[in-house]
Amino acid sequence: DSGVTQTPKHLITATGQRVTLRCSPRSGDLSVYWYQQSLDQGLQFLIQYYNGEERAKGNILERFSAQQFPDLHSELNLSSLELGDSALYFCASSVRPLAGGPRDTQYFGPGTRLTVL
Amino acid sequence: AQTVTQSQPEMSVQEAETVTLSCTYDTSESDYYLFWYKQPPSRQMILVIRQEAYKQQNATENRFSVNFQKAAKSFSLKISDSQLGDAAMYFCAYRSALTGTASKLTFGTGTRLQVTL
């Protein structure tokens, strides 16, 4: 168990709909990363937040947005869903300035499997 | 931009034998981190091993070790005494160590490892 939690585990929805994926990082971790794993694109970085602020953007569509809240949990919002958005969405966390340990290592949650019908 | 290449889509090893998974990467940076992640059928991403580029010594974690060749930009994973539980998809990943850059992971396309009796 990595200590990173994601809900829900599975999500089935229709095209055009909007969904929200939730992530709770490991206790004390300040950074949250979102990744998308699809059959044709592999594992792609979407966006990173650090202590509530957006730090970096990757291949994230304009229909997607994210935020990190004061309690450090993060949400990824996917709107106007298309069939091609079906994928496994991972959240990862890193950086434990108080607890120590390697700051560079990202620990992944179990993922949310999104199916768009 | 950095790229990570895993040229072996599938590998097979007999139980108790040793197998080596290959990974090459392309970067102009001198300081970075390299990782191997394991993704079993549960789809959870599990950290196997990490290597810091400025360290010449190859990382080891129990039955897992790496052969890090910085000049050749090669980072292979050796699994000794293979077990049935090692069957999974293995991803090689790169992360820049430069301060101020995004600390995203760039993944290879993965190698599926089968372990046979």
Side-chain angles (χ1 to χ4, degrees), chain B residues 42-80:
Chain B
S42 66
R43 309 307 295 272
Q44 171 83 49
M45 292 288 285
I46 302 166
L47 176 69
V48 175
I49 200 164
R50 64 185 281 275
Q51 174 78 42
E52 298 163 14
Y54 63 87
K55 286 188 177 179
Q56 291 188 334
Q57 187 174 6
N58 289 325
T60 62
E61 285 289 341
N62 301 314
R63 298 182 294 107
F64 298 87
S65 62
V66 299
N67 183 4
F68 173 50
Q69 302 288 328
K70 191 172 185 179
K73 297 180 182 175
S74 170
F75 182 60
S76 60
L77 175 70
K78 186 171 85 170
I79 306 175
S80 304

PDB file of all heavy atoms in Angstrom, chain B residues 42-80:
ATOM      1  N   SER B  42      -3.177  -6.165 -11.234  1.00  0.00           N
ATOM      2  CA  SER B  42      -4.035  -5.267 -10.447  1.00  0.00           C
ATOM      3  C   SER B  42      -3.969  -3.825 -10.941  1.00  0.00           C
ATOM      4  O   SER B  42      -4.802  -2.998 -10.557  1.00  0.00           O
ATOM      5  CB  SER B  42      -3.610  -5.280  -8.974  1.00  0.00           C
ATOM      6  OG  SER B  42      -2.306  -4.719  -8.827  1.00  0.00           O
ATOM      7  N   ARG B  43      -2.974  -3.518 -11.801  1.00  0.00           N
ATOM      8  CA  ARG B  43      -2.753  -2.202 -12.423  1.00  0.00           C
ATOM      9  C   ARG B  43      -2.141  -1.177 -11.477  1.00  0.00           C
ATOM     10  O   ARG B  43      -1.884  -0.048 -11.872  1.00  0.00           O
ATOM     11  CB  ARG B  43      -4.039  -1.618 -13.042  1.00  0.00           C
ATOM     12  CG  ARG B  43      -4.776  -2.553 -13.978  1.00  0.00           C
ATOM     13  CD  ARG B  43      -3.871  -3.102 -15.052  1.00  0.00           C
ATOM     14  NE  ARG B  43      -3.369  -2.108 -15.967  1.00  0.00           N
ATOM     15  CZ  ARG B  43      -3.987  -1.717 -17.087  1.00  0.00           C
ATOM     16  NH1 ARG B  43      -5.143  -2.243 -17.404  1.00  0.00           N
ATOM     17  NH2 ARG B  43      -3.432  -0.821 -17.870  1.00  0.00           N
ATOM     18  N   GLN B  44      -1.887  -1.564 -10.244  1.00  0.00           N
ATOM     19  CA  GLN B  44      -1.190  -0.668  -9.319  1.00  0.00           C
ATOM     20  C   GLN B  44       0.226  -0.425  -9.812  1.00  0.00           C
ATOM     21  O   GLN B  44       0.889  -1.336 -10.290  1.00  0.00           O
ATOM     22  CB  GLN B  44      -1.146  -1.311  -7.925  1.00  0.00           C
ATOM     23  CG  GLN B  44      -0.284  -0.599  -6.917  1.00  0.00           C
ATOM     24  CD  GLN B  44      -0.990   0.568  -6.256  1.00  0.00           C
ATOM     25  OE1 GLN B  44      -2.121   0.423  -5.798  1.00  0.00           O
ATOM     26  NE2 GLN B  44      -0.347   1.712  -6.194  1.00  0.00           N
ATOM     27  N   MET B  45       0.727   0.795  -9.720  1.00  0.00           N
ATOM     28  CA  MET B  45       2.108   1.118 -10.086  1.00  0.00           C
ATOM     29  C   MET B  45       2.958   1.044  -8.825  1.00  0.00           C
ATOM     30  O   MET B  45       2.770   1.811  -7.879  1.00  0.00           O
ATOM     31  CB  MET B  45       2.187   2.532 -10.674  1.00  0.00           C
ATOM     32  CG  MET B  45       1.507   2.668 -12.013  1.00  0.00           C
ATOM     33  SD  MET B  45       2.417   1.853 -13.326  1.00  0.00           S
ATOM     34  CE  MET B  45       3.769   2.985 -13.563  1.00  0.00           C
ATOM     35  N   ILE B  46       3.906   0.130  -8.841  1.00  0.00           N
ATOM     36  CA  ILE B  46       4.716  -0.139  -7.654  1.00  0.00           C
ATOM     37  C   ILE B  46       6.172   0.198  -7.953  1.00  0.00           C
ATOM     38  O   ILE B  46       6.742  -0.306  -8.933  1.00  0.00           O
ATOM     39  CB  ILE B  46       4.598  -1.617  -7.244  1.00  0.00           C
ATOM     40  CG1 ILE B  46       3.132  -1.982  -6.967  1.00  0.00           C
ATOM     41  CG2 ILE B  46       5.470  -1.918  -6.024  1.00  0.00           C
ATOM     42  CD1 ILE B  46       2.875  -3.463  -6.885  1.00  0.00           C
ATOM     43  N   LEU B  47       6.763   1.023  -7.114  1.00  0.00           N
ATOM     44  CA  LEU B  47       8.169   1.367  -7.287  1.00  0.00           C
ATOM     45  C   LEU B  47       9.034   0.139  -7.004  1.00  0.00           C
ATOM     46  O   LEU B  47       8.900  -0.496  -5.964  1.00  0.00           O
ATOM     47  CB  LEU B  47       8.557   2.502  -6.354  1.00  0.00           C
ATOM     48  CG  LEU B  47      10.030   2.893  -6.374  1.00  0.00           C
ATOM     49  CD1 LEU B  47      10.387   3.539  -7.698  1.00  0.00           C
ATOM     50  CD2 LEU B  47      10.349   3.822  -5.210  1.00  0.00           C
ATOM     51  N   VAL B  48       9.934  -0.156  -7.942  1.00  0.00           N
ATOM     52  CA  VAL B  48      10.840  -1.283  -7.776  1.00  0.00           C
ATOM     53  C   VAL B  48      12.198  -0.800  -7.295  1.00  0.00           C
ATOM     54  O   VAL B  48      12.766  -1.320  -6.328  1.00  0.00           O
ATOM     55  CB  VAL B  48      10.998  -2.062  -9.098  1.00  0.00           C
ATOM     56  CG1 VAL B  48      12.039  -3.168  -8.947  1.00  0.00           C
ATOM     57  CG2 VAL B  48       9.660  -2.634  -9.546  1.00  0.00           C
ATOM     58  N   ILE B  49      12.734   0.210  -7.993  1.00  0.00           N
ATOM     59  CA  ILE B  49      14.094   0.645  -7.692  1.00  0.00           C
ATOM     60  C   ILE B  49      14.327   2.028  -8.282  1.00  0.00           C
ATOM     61  O   ILE B  49      13.675   2.410  -9.252  1.00  0.00           O
ATOM     62  CB  ILE B  49      15.110  -0.384  -8.251  1.00  0.00           C
ATOM     63  CG1 ILE B  49      16.479  -0.276  -7.585  1.00  0.00           C
ATOM     64  CG2 ILE B  49      15.204  -0.298  -9.762  1.00  0.00           C
ATOM     65  CD1 ILE B  49      17.356  -1.501  -7.839  1.00  0.00           C
ATOM     66  N   ARG B  50      15.212   2.804  -7.651  1.00  0.00           N
ATOM     67  CA  ARG B  50      15.557   4.136  -8.151  1.00  0.00           C
ATOM     68  C   ARG B  50      17.069   4.289  -8.203  1.00  0.00           C
ATOM     69  O   ARG B  50      17.781   3.664  -7.415  1.00  0.00           O
ATOM     70  CB  ARG B  50      14.946   5.226  -7.268  1.00  0.00           C
ATOM     71  CG  ARG B  50      15.470   5.228  -5.862  1.00  0.00           C
ATOM     72  CD  ARG B  50      14.743   6.261  -5.001  1.00  0.00           C
ATOM     73  NE  ARG B  50      15.210   7.603  -5.204  1.00  0.00           N
ATOM     74  CZ  ARG B  50      16.254   8.140  -4.595  1.00  0.00           C
ATOM     75  NH1 ARG B  50      16.974   7.432  -3.746  1.00  0.00           N
ATOM     76  NH2 ARG B  50      16.594   9.389  -4.839  1.00  0.00           N
ATOM     77  N   GLN B  51      17.505   5.126  -9.142  1.00  0.00           N
ATOM     78  CA  GLN B  51      18.935   5.378  -9.319  1.00  0.00           C
ATOM     79  C   GLN B  51      19.156   6.870  -9.468  1.00  0.00           C
ATOM     80  O   GLN B  51      18.437   7.526 -10.224  1.00  0.00           O
ATOM     81  CB  GLN B  51      19.439   4.656 -10.575  1.00  0.00           C
ATOM     82  CG  GLN B  51      20.882   4.945 -10.963  1.00  0.00           C
ATOM     83  CD  GLN B  51      21.887   4.178 -10.107  1.00  0.00           C
ATOM     84  OE1 GLN B  51      21.692   3.007  -9.813  1.00  0.00           O
ATOM     85  NE2 GLN B  51      22.960   4.829  -9.738  1.00  0.00           N
ATOM     86  N   GLU B  52      20.128   7.397  -8.757  1.00  0.00           N
ATOM     87  CA  GLU B  52      20.498   8.804  -8.915  1.00  0.00           C
ATOM     88  C   GLU B  52      21.658   8.883  -9.895  1.00  0.00           C
ATOM     89  O   GLU B  52      22.658   8.180  -9.732  1.00  0.00           O
ATOM     90  CB  GLU B  52      20.891   9.384  -7.562  1.00  0.00           C
ATOM     91  CG  GLU B  52      19.742   9.339  -6.567  1.00  0.00           C
ATOM     92  CD  GLU B  52      20.194   9.509  -5.131  1.00  0.00           C
ATOM     93  OE1 GLU B  52      21.348   9.926  -4.925  1.00  0.00           O
ATOM     94  OE2 GLU B  52      19.413   9.220  -4.221  1.00  0.00           O
ATOM     95  N   ALA B  53      21.540   9.723 -10.892  1.00  0.00           N
ATOM     96  CA  ALA B  53      22.520   9.746 -11.971  1.00  0.00           C
ATOM     97  C   ALA B  53      23.922  10.124 -11.505  1.00  0.00           C
ATOM     98  O   ALA B  53      24.917   9.727 -12.113  1.00  0.00           O
ATOM     99  CB  ALA B  53      22.072  10.715 -13.063  1.00  0.00           C
ATOM    100  N   TYR B  54      24.025  10.894 -10.429  1.00  0.00           N
ATOM    101  CA  TYR B  54      25.348  11.321  -9.985  1.00  0.00           C
ATOM    102  C   TYR B  54      26.059  10.233  -9.174  1.00  0.00           C
ATOM    103  O   TYR B  54      27.223  10.370  -8.830  1.00  0.00           O
ATOM    104  CB  TYR B  54      25.271  12.613  -9.172  1.00  0.00           C
ATOM    105  CG  TYR B  54      24.497  12.510  -7.881  1.00  0.00           C
ATOM    106  CD1 TYR B  54      25.105  12.099  -6.698  1.00  0.00           C
ATOM    107  CD2 TYR B  54      23.144  12.822  -7.836  1.00  0.00           C
ATOM    108  CE1 TYR B  54      24.402  12.008  -5.523  1.00  0.00           C
ATOM    109  CE2 TYR B  54      22.422  12.731  -6.654  1.00  0.00           C
ATOM    110  CZ  TYR B  54      23.052  12.327  -5.504  1.00  0.00           C
ATOM    111  OH  TYR B  54      22.351  12.240  -4.332  1.00  0.00           O
ATOM    112  N   LYS B  55      25.355   9.161  -8.879  1.00  0.00           N
ATOM    113  CA  LYS B  55      25.967   8.049  -8.155  1.00  0.00           C
ATOM    114  C   LYS B  55      26.423   6.987  -9.147  1.00  0.00           C
ATOM    115  O   LYS B  55      25.634   6.512  -9.960  1.00  0.00           O
ATOM    116  CB  LYS B  55      24.966   7.433  -7.179  1.00  0.00           C
ATOM    117  CG  LYS B  55      24.698   8.281  -5.952  1.00  0.00           C
ATOM    118  CD  LYS B  55      23.847   7.524  -4.957  1.00  0.00           C
ATOM    119  CE  LYS B  55      23.629   8.350  -3.696  1.00  0.00           C
ATOM    120  NZ  LYS B  55      22.784   7.649  -2.695  1.00  0.00           N
ATOM    121  N   GLN B  56      27.675   6.624  -9.091  1.00  0.00           N
ATOM    122  CA  GLN B  56      28.186   5.608 -10.004  1.00  0.00           C
ATOM    123  C   GLN B  56      27.760   4.209  -9.583  1.00  0.00           C
ATOM    124  O   GLN B  56      27.628   3.320 -10.422  1.00  0.00           O
ATOM    125  CB  GLN B  56      29.708   5.696 -10.086  1.00  0.00           C
ATOM    126  CG  GLN B  56      30.200   6.954 -10.780  1.00  0.00           C
ATOM    127  CD  GLN B  56      31.689   6.920 -11.017  1.00  0.00           C
ATOM    128  OE1 GLN B  56      32.418   6.238 -10.295  1.00  0.00           O
ATOM    129  NE2 GLN B  56      32.149   7.641 -12.014  1.00  0.00           N
ATOM    130  N   GLN B  57      27.542   4.038  -8.286  1.00  0.00           N
ATOM    131  CA  GLN B  57      27.181   2.715  -7.797  1.00  0.00           C
ATOM    132  C   GLN B  57      25.792   2.335  -8.250  1.00  0.00           C
ATOM    133  O   GLN B  57      24.838   3.122  -8.130  1.00  0.00           O
ATOM    134  CB  GLN B  57      27.249   2.683  -6.277  1.00  0.00           C
ATOM    135  CG  GLN B  57      27.054   1.320  -5.672  1.00  0.00           C
ATOM    136  CD  GLN B  57      27.276   1.313  -4.175  1.00  0.00           C
ATOM    137  OE1 GLN B  57      27.478   2.348  -3.552  1.00  0.00           O
ATOM    138  NE2 GLN B  57      27.269   0.134  -3.590  1.00  0.00           N
ATOM    139  N   ASN B  58      25.647   1.112  -8.756  1.00  0.00           N
ATOM    140  CA  ASN B  58      24.344   0.631  -9.194  1.00  0.00           C
ATOM    141  C   ASN B  58      23.452   0.313  -8.008  1.00  0.00           C
ATOM    142  O   ASN B  58      23.880  -0.289  -7.027  1.00  0.00           O
ATOM    143  CB  ASN B  58      24.521  -0.629 -10.047  1.00  0.00           C
ATOM    144  CG  ASN B  58      25.132  -0.343 -11.395  1.00  0.00           C
ATOM    145  OD1 ASN B  58      24.862   0.703 -11.991  1.00  0.00           O
ATOM    146  ND2 ASN B  58      25.969  -1.235 -11.874  1.00  0.00           N
ATOM    147  N   ALA B  59      22.179   0.718  -8.105  1.00  0.00           N
ATOM    148  CA  ALA B  59      21.230   0.476  -7.028  1.00  0.00           C
ATOM    149  C   ALA B  59      20.829  -1.001  -6.985  1.00  0.00           C
ATOM    150  O   ALA B  59      20.767  -1.679  -8.020  1.00  0.00           O
ATOM    151  CB  ALA B  59      19.993   1.344  -7.237  1.00  0.00           C
ATOM    152  N   THR B  60      20.562  -1.469  -5.781  1.00  0.00           N
ATOM    153  CA  THR B  60      20.054  -2.831  -5.600  1.00  0.00           C
ATOM    154  C   THR B  60      18.957  -2.810  -4.551  1.00  0.00           C
ATOM    155  O   THR B  60      19.001  -2.008  -3.604  1.00  0.00           O
ATOM    156  CB  THR B  60      21.159  -3.808  -5.138  1.00  0.00           C
ATOM    157  OG1 THR B  60      21.638  -3.370  -3.867  1.00  0.00           O
ATOM    158  CG2 THR B  60      22.303  -3.857  -6.126  1.00  0.00           C
ATOM    159  N   GLU B  61      17.972  -3.662  -4.770  1.00  0.00           N
ATOM    160  CA  GLU B  61      16.877  -3.846  -3.808  1.00  0.00           C
ATOM    161  C   GLU B  61      16.528  -5.330  -3.807  1.00  0.00           C
ATOM    162  O   GLU B  61      15.783  -5.818  -4.636  1.00  0.00           O
ATOM    163  CB  GLU B  61      15.639  -3.031  -4.219  1.00  0.00           C
ATOM    164  CG  GLU B  61      15.717  -1.555  -3.993  1.00  0.00           C
ATOM    165  CD  GLU B  61      15.651  -1.162  -2.523  1.00  0.00           C
ATOM    166  OE1 GLU B  61      15.187  -1.972  -1.693  1.00  0.00           O
ATOM    167  OE2 GLU B  61      16.066  -0.034  -2.203  1.00  0.00           O
ATOM    168  N   ASN B  62      17.115  -6.039  -2.852  1.00  0.00           N
ATOM    169  CA  ASN B  62      16.875  -7.481  -2.745  1.00  0.00           C
ATOM    170  C   ASN B  62      17.225  -8.177  -4.058  1.00  0.00           C
ATOM    171  O   ASN B  62      18.367  -8.158  -4.477  1.00  0.00           O
ATOM    172  CB  ASN B  62      15.430  -7.733  -2.317  1.00  0.00           C
ATOM    173  CG  ASN B  62      15.108  -7.078  -0.997  1.00  0.00           C
ATOM    174  OD1 ASN B  62      15.859  -7.173  -0.039  1.00  0.00           O
ATOM    175  ND2 ASN B  62      13.985  -6.358  -0.953  1.00  0.00           N
ATOM    176  N   ARG B  63      16.250  -8.805  -4.723  1.00  0.00           N
ATOM    177  CA  ARG B  63      16.533  -9.544  -5.952  1.00  0.00           C
ATOM    178  C   ARG B  63      16.629  -8.654  -7.186  1.00  0.00           C
ATOM    179  O   ARG B  63      16.901  -9.137  -8.293  1.00  0.00           O
ATOM    180  CB  ARG B  63      15.428 -10.587  -6.179  1.00  0.00           C
ATOM    181  CG  ARG B  63      15.325 -11.637  -5.079  1.00  0.00           C
ATOM    182  CD  ARG B  63      14.249 -12.669  -5.405  1.00  0.00           C
ATOM    183  NE  ARG B  63      12.904 -12.087  -5.402  1.00  0.00           N
ATOM    184  CZ  ARG B  63      12.198 -11.847  -6.494  1.00  0.00           C
ATOM    185  NH1 ARG B  63      12.681 -12.153  -7.692  1.00  0.00           N
ATOM    186  NH2 ARG B  63      10.984 -11.338  -6.414  1.00  0.00           N
ATOM    187  N   PHE B  64      16.391  -7.366  -7.013  1.00  0.00           N
ATOM    188  CA  PHE B  64      16.378  -6.435  -8.136  1.00  0.00           C
ATOM    189  C   PHE B  64      17.641  -5.575  -8.111  1.00  0.00           C
ATOM    190  O   PHE B  64      18.017  -5.037  -7.062  1.00  0.00           O
ATOM    191  CB  PHE B  64      15.151  -5.528  -8.061  1.00  0.00           C
ATOM    192  CG  PHE B  64      13.841  -6.273  -8.137  1.00  0.00           C
ATOM    193  CD1 PHE B  64      13.240  -6.779  -6.996  1.00  0.00           C
ATOM    194  CD2 PHE B  64      13.216  -6.473  -9.355  1.00  0.00           C
ATOM    195  CE1 PHE B  64      12.046  -7.474  -7.068  1.00  0.00           C
ATOM    196  CE2 PHE B  64      12.018  -7.160  -9.441  1.00  0.00           C
ATOM    197  CZ  PHE B  64      11.429  -7.665  -8.290  1.00  0.00           C
ATOM    198  N   SER B  65      18.279  -5.454  -9.239  1.00  0.00           N
ATOM    199  CA  SER B  65      19.445  -4.590  -9.352  1.00  0.00           C
ATOM    200  C   SER B  65      19.437  -3.937 -10.726  1.00  0.00           C
ATOM    201  O   SER B  65      18.739  -4.394 -11.630  1.00  0.00           O
ATOM    202  CB  SER B  65      20.740  -5.377  -9.141  1.00  0.00           C
ATOM    203  OG  SER B  65      20.869  -6.375 -10.132  1.00  0.00           O
ATOM    204  N   VAL B  66      20.186  -2.856 -10.840  1.00  0.00           N
ATOM    205  CA  VAL B  66      20.250  -2.168 -12.127  1.00  0.00           C
ATOM    206  C   VAL B  66      21.692  -2.131 -12.614  1.00  0.00           C
ATOM    207  O   VAL B  66      22.636  -2.235 -11.834  1.00  0.00           O
ATOM    208  CB  VAL B  66      19.681  -0.729 -12.047  1.00  0.00           C
ATOM    209  CG1 VAL B  66      18.218  -0.751 -11.646  1.00  0.00           C
ATOM    210  CG2 VAL B  66      20.510   0.138 -11.101  1.00  0.00           C
ATOM    211  N   ASN B  67      21.807  -1.983 -13.923  1.00  0.00           N
ATOM    212  CA  ASN B  67      23.094  -1.722 -14.555  1.00  0.00           C
ATOM    213  C   ASN B  67      22.959  -0.354 -15.206  1.00  0.00           C
ATOM    214  O   ASN B  67      22.332  -0.214 -16.262  1.00  0.00           O
ATOM    215  CB  ASN B  67      23.428  -2.786 -15.597  1.00  0.00           C
ATOM    216  CG  ASN B  67      24.797  -2.570 -16.206  1.00  0.00           C
ATOM    217  OD1 ASN B  67      25.554  -1.661 -15.813  1.00  0.00           O
ATOM    218  ND2 ASN B  67      25.156  -3.384 -17.172  1.00  0.00           N
ATOM    219  N   PHE B  68      23.500   0.662 -14.537  1.00  0.00           N
ATOM    220  CA  PHE B  68      23.387   2.038 -14.985  1.00  0.00           C
ATOM    221  C   PHE B  68      24.663   2.434 -15.715  1.00  0.00           C
ATOM    222  O   PHE B  68      25.749   2.451 -15.132  1.00  0.00           O
ATOM    223  CB  PHE B  68      23.148   2.954 -13.781  1.00  0.00           C
ATOM    224  CG  PHE B  68      23.182   4.420 -14.085  1.00  0.00           C
ATOM    225  CD1 PHE B  68      22.440   4.940 -15.140  1.00  0.00           C
ATOM    226  CD2 PHE B  68      23.934   5.289 -13.316  1.00  0.00           C
ATOM    227  CE1 PHE B  68      22.460   6.296 -15.418  1.00  0.00           C
ATOM    228  CE2 PHE B  68      23.966   6.646 -13.573  1.00  0.00           C
ATOM    229  CZ  PHE B  68      23.226   7.147 -14.632  1.00  0.00           C
ATOM    230  N   GLN B  69      24.531   2.714 -16.995  1.00  0.00           N
ATOM    231  CA  GLN B  69      25.651   3.136 -17.829  1.00  0.00           C
ATOM    232  C   GLN B  69      25.349   4.549 -18.315  1.00  0.00           C
ATOM    233  O   GLN B  69      24.657   4.737 -19.322  1.00  0.00           O
ATOM    234  CB  GLN B  69      25.825   2.184 -19.014  1.00  0.00           C
ATOM    235  CG  GLN B  69      26.061   0.737 -18.635  1.00  0.00           C
ATOM    236  CD  GLN B  69      27.438   0.527 -18.047  1.00  0.00           C
ATOM    237  OE1 GLN B  69      28.400   1.204 -18.409  1.00  0.00           O
ATOM    238  NE2 GLN B  69      27.537  -0.409 -17.115  1.00  0.00           N
ATOM    239  N   LYS B  70      25.875   5.550 -17.578  1.00  0.00           N
ATOM    240  CA  LYS B  70      25.495   6.934 -17.866  1.00  0.00           C
ATOM    241  C   LYS B  70      25.945   7.391 -19.249  1.00  0.00           C
ATOM    242  O   LYS B  70      25.205   8.057 -19.966  1.00  0.00           O
ATOM    243  CB  LYS B  70      26.068   7.870 -16.796  1.00  0.00           C
ATOM    244  CG  LYS B  70      25.513   9.282 -16.867  1.00  0.00           C
ATOM    245  CD  LYS B  70      25.956  10.112 -15.691  1.00  0.00           C
ATOM    246  CE  LYS B  70      25.285  11.485 -15.723  1.00  0.00           C
ATOM    247  NZ  LYS B  70      25.690  12.318 -14.566  1.00  0.00           N
ATOM    248  N   ALA B  71      27.139   7.029 -19.630  1.00  0.00           N
ATOM    249  CA  ALA B  71      27.652   7.477 -20.933  1.00  0.00           C
ATOM    250  C   ALA B  71      26.839   6.885 -22.069  1.00  0.00           C
ATOM    251  O   ALA B  71      26.573   7.546 -23.076  1.00  0.00           O
ATOM    252  CB  ALA B  71      29.119   7.095 -21.077  1.00  0.00           C
ATOM    253  N   ALA B  72      26.416   5.676 -21.895  1.00  0.00           N
ATOM    254  CA  ALA B  72      25.616   5.006 -22.916  1.00  0.00           C
ATOM    255  C   ALA B  72      24.139   5.310 -22.776  1.00  0.00           C
ATOM    256  O   ALA B  72      23.334   4.910 -23.623  1.00  0.00           O
ATOM    257  CB  ALA B  72      25.841   3.498 -22.850  1.00  0.00           C
ATOM    258  N   LYS B  73      23.757   6.010 -21.706  1.00  0.00           N
ATOM    259  CA  LYS B  73      22.349   6.320 -21.421  1.00  0.00           C
ATOM    260  C   LYS B  73      21.521   5.043 -21.412  1.00  0.00           C
ATOM    261  O   LYS B  73      20.488   4.939 -22.089  1.00  0.00           O
ATOM    262  CB  LYS B  73      21.821   7.355 -22.408  1.00  0.00           C
ATOM    263  CG  LYS B  73      22.558   8.693 -22.286  1.00  0.00           C
ATOM    264  CD  LYS B  73      22.042   9.738 -23.254  1.00  0.00           C
ATOM    265  CE  LYS B  73      22.877  11.014 -23.092  1.00  0.00           C
ATOM    266  NZ  LYS B  73      22.528  12.044 -24.069  1.00  0.00           N
ATOM    267  N   SER B  74      21.998   4.124 -20.618  1.00  0.00           N
ATOM    268  CA  SER B  74      21.349   2.829 -20.517  1.00  0.00           C
ATOM    269  C   SER B  74      21.058   2.519 -19.049  1.00  0.00           C
ATOM    270  O   SER B  74      21.873   2.822 -18.158  1.00  0.00           O
ATOM    271  CB  SER B  74      22.269   1.757 -21.117  1.00  0.00           C
ATOM    272  OG  SER B  74      21.798   0.471 -20.837  1.00  0.00           O
ATOM    273  N   PHE B  75      19.916   1.902 -18.804  1.00  0.00           N
ATOM    274  CA  PHE B  75      19.474   1.657 -17.417  1.00  0.00           C
ATOM    275  C   PHE B  75      18.687   0.351 -17.410  1.00  0.00           C
ATOM    276  O   PHE B  75      17.468   0.346 -17.500  1.00  0.00           O
ATOM    277  CB  PHE B  75      18.607   2.834 -16.955  1.00  0.00           C
ATOM    278  CG  PHE B  75      18.132   2.741 -15.543  1.00  0.00           C
ATOM    279  CD1 PHE B  75      19.013   2.680 -14.483  1.00  0.00           C
ATOM    280  CD2 PHE B  75      16.771   2.757 -15.256  1.00  0.00           C
ATOM    281  CE1 PHE B  75      18.573   2.613 -13.170  1.00  0.00           C
ATOM    282  CE2 PHE B  75      16.305   2.693 -13.942  1.00  0.00           C
ATOM    283  CZ  PHE B  75      17.206   2.614 -12.906  1.00  0.00           C
ATOM    284  N   SER B  76      19.359  -0.772 -17.293  1.00  0.00           N
ATOM    285  CA  SER B  76      18.683  -2.062 -17.364  1.00  0.00           C
ATOM    286  C   SER B  76      18.381  -2.590 -15.968  1.00  0.00           C
ATOM    287  O   SER B  76      19.081  -2.272 -15.003  1.00  0.00           O
ATOM    288  CB  SER B  76      19.528  -3.066 -18.151  1.00  0.00           C
ATOM    289  OG  SER B  76      20.773  -3.250 -17.521  1.00  0.00           O
ATOM    290  N   LEU B  77      17.345  -3.383 -15.892  1.00  0.00           N
ATOM    291  CA  LEU B  77      16.893  -3.980 -14.629  1.00  0.00           C
ATOM    292  C   LEU B  77      17.145  -5.474 -14.669  1.00  0.00           C
ATOM    293  O   LEU B  77      16.700  -6.147 -15.594  1.00  0.00           O
ATOM    294  CB  LEU B  77      15.396  -3.722 -14.417  1.00  0.00           C
ATOM    295  CG  LEU B  77      14.763  -4.399 -13.205  1.00  0.00           C
ATOM    296  CD1 LEU B  77      15.268  -3.772 -11.912  1.00  0.00           C
ATOM    297  CD2 LEU B  77      13.242  -4.321 -13.286  1.00  0.00           C
ATOM    298  N   LYS B  78      17.841  -5.980 -13.658  1.00  0.00           N
ATOM    299  CA  LYS B  78      18.073  -7.405 -13.544  1.00  0.00           C
ATOM    300  C   LYS B  78      17.258  -7.955 -12.390  1.00  0.00           C
ATOM    301  O   LYS B  78      17.315  -7.436 -11.269  1.00  0.00           O
ATOM    302  CB  LYS B  78      19.558  -7.706 -13.311  1.00  0.00           C
ATOM    303  CG  LYS B  78      19.883  -9.187 -13.323  1.00  0.00           C
ATOM    304  CD  LYS B  78      21.381  -9.464 -13.305  1.00  0.00           C
ATOM    305  CE  LYS B  78      21.935  -9.468 -11.908  1.00  0.00           C
ATOM    306  NZ  LYS B  78      23.334  -9.968 -11.868  1.00  0.00           N
ATOM    307  N   ILE B  79      16.499  -9.010 -12.697  1.00  0.00           N
ATOM    308  CA  ILE B  79      15.707  -9.687 -11.674  1.00  0.00           C
ATOM    309  C   ILE B  79      16.318 -11.062 -11.479  1.00  0.00           C
ATOM    310  O   ILE B  79      16.357 -11.872 -12.422  1.00  0.00           O
ATOM    311  CB  ILE B  79      14.228  -9.808 -12.082  1.00  0.00           C
ATOM    312  CG1 ILE B  79      13.654  -8.433 -12.449  1.00  0.00           C
ATOM    313  CG2 ILE B  79      13.421 -10.448 -10.954  1.00  0.00           C
ATOM    314  CD1 ILE B  79      12.229  -8.481 -12.993  1.00  0.00           C
ATOM    315  N   SER B  80      16.794 -11.324 -10.292  1.00  0.00           N
ATOM    316  CA  SER B  80      17.405 -12.614  -9.977  1.00  0.00           C
ATOM    317  C   SER B  80      16.396 -13.511  -9.276  1.00  0.00           C
ATOM    318  O   SER B  80      15.457 -13.033  -8.637  1.00  0.00           O
ATOM    319  CB  SER B  80      18.627 -12.416  -9.067  1.00  0.00           C
ATOM    320  OG  SER B  80      19.550 -11.531  -9.649  1.00  0.00           O
TER     321      SER B  80
END
